[in-house]
């Protein structure tokens, strides 16, 4: 059995690859998300991305924040070999949207904002309110779990290095900054 710190350091790259693959999918194949959740109308990049380039002797970290921030610096960092280490996302279904961030190293979700629910007007309504709120949180957790499962299946398949990686590289090289 691997020591936890050894396993963490050995496989840490998977989360960063997952987030980079997710950005690629967001920009090239939105239909993939509908296969995961038929209610999904869009998955979009939110207001924060963090990229890290560990290929050099020192860690280079690029953080892009803001609702109107462009992704040009992030795209340039991808061209230089960086991977996403944190990503803010907006998940949309019909008129509802969820906002959250996900970290590559642990796949932890943070800053989750679910669609608004009318606050309970009485103590009796509290149970229904909590149930609905729990369902909203579960929807995102299930979506991320299924998306990560899709990534893992693609990552361990033989076609990963033959088809997926060349397509991601082609996408990165086609990005204009």
């Amino acid at each position: 059995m691997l020591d936890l710190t050894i396993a963490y350091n050995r496989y840490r790259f998977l989360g960063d690859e997952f987030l980079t693959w997710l950005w690629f999918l967001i920009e090239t194949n939105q239909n993939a998300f509908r296969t995961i959740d038929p209610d999904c109308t869009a998955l979009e990049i939110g207001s924060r991305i963090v990229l890290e380039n560990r290929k050099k002797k020192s860690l280079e970290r690029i953080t892009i924040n803001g609702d109107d921030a462009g992704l040009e610096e992030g795209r340039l960092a991808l061209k230089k070999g960086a991977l996403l280490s944190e990503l803010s996302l907006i998940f949309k279904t019909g008129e509802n949207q969820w906002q959250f961030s996900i970290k590559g190293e642990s796949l932890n979700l943070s800053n989750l904002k679910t669609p608004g629910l009318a606050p309970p007007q009485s103590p009796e309504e509290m149970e229904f309110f909590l149930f609905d709120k729990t369902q909203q949180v579960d929807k995102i957790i299930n979506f991320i779990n299924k998306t990560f499962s899709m990534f893992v299946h693609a990552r361990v398949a033989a076609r990963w290095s033959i088809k997926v990686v060349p397509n991601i590289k082609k996408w990165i090289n086609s990005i204009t900054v």
Side-chain angles (χ1 to χ4, degrees):
M1 178 170 225
L2 282 177
D3 180 73
L4 187 59
T5 57
I6 293 171
Y8 171 79
N9 288 325
R10 185 177 292 169
Y11 300 110
R12 178 181 183 199
F13 71 94
L14 280 173
D16 296 349
E17 280 187 6
F18 167 63
L19 294 181
T20 305
W21 171 83
L22 194 57
W23 187 3
F24 164 72
L25 225 53
I26 287 170
E27 292 201 1
T28 62
N29 187 7
Q30 281 283 322
N31 288 330
F33 303 118
R34 287 179 196 87
T35 64
I36 296 167
D37 185 335
D39 296 333
C40 179
T41 55
L43 185 66
E44 301 171 354
I45 304 291
S47 60
R48 177 180 164 86
I49 64 171
V50 179
L51 297 103
E52 292 181 355
N53 192 342
R54 294 188 189 98
K55 292 184 177 183
K56 299 178 181 178
K57 289 184 180 185
S58 63
L59 173 71
E60 179 182 28
R61 179 175 287 141
I62 299 97
T63 302
I64 302 167
N65 271 326
D67 292 331
D68 295 327
L71 299 175
E72 295 82 17
E73 285 183 60
R75 290 181 172 106
L76 183 59
L78 286 176
K79 284 186 173 188
K80 291 181 176 182
L83 296 173
L84 271 80
S85 62
E86 186 177 338
L87 181 61
S88 173
L89 294 167
I90 302 168
F91 175 82
K92 295 182 179 181
T93 63
E95 295 184 18
N96 294 321
Q97 77 175 24
W98 290 252
Q99 294 180 11
F100 60 97
S101 295
I102 184 168
K103 292 190 181 266
E105 68 182 3
S106 61
L107 299 181
N108 283 344
L109 298 180
S110 61
N111 303 321
L112 177 60
K113 293 180 181 101
T114 59
L117 292 173
Q121 300 298 316
S122 67
E124 295 82 28
E125 292 179 6
M126 182 59 79
E127 183 178 344
F128 295 108
F129 175 81
L130 292 174
F131 179 75
D132 288 344
K133 192 56 97 173
T134 302
Q135 282 187 317
Q136 289 180 341
V137 172
D138 282 347
K139 185 167 186 73
I140 286 302
I141 291 171
N142 289 332
F143 178 78
I144 291 300
N145 285 342
K146 289 177 182 176
T147 305
F148 186 70
S149 179
M150 177 190 283
F151 165 74
V152 169
H153 282 92
R155 182 68 174 84
V156 299
R159 69 183 202 96
W160 177 261
S161 57
I162 297 168
K163 188 171 181 184
V164 178
V165 171
N167 284 342
I168 292 173
K169 286 181 179 180
K170 183 178 174 183
W171 167 71
I172 288 171
N173 291 326
S174 72
I175 295 172
T176 56
V177 285

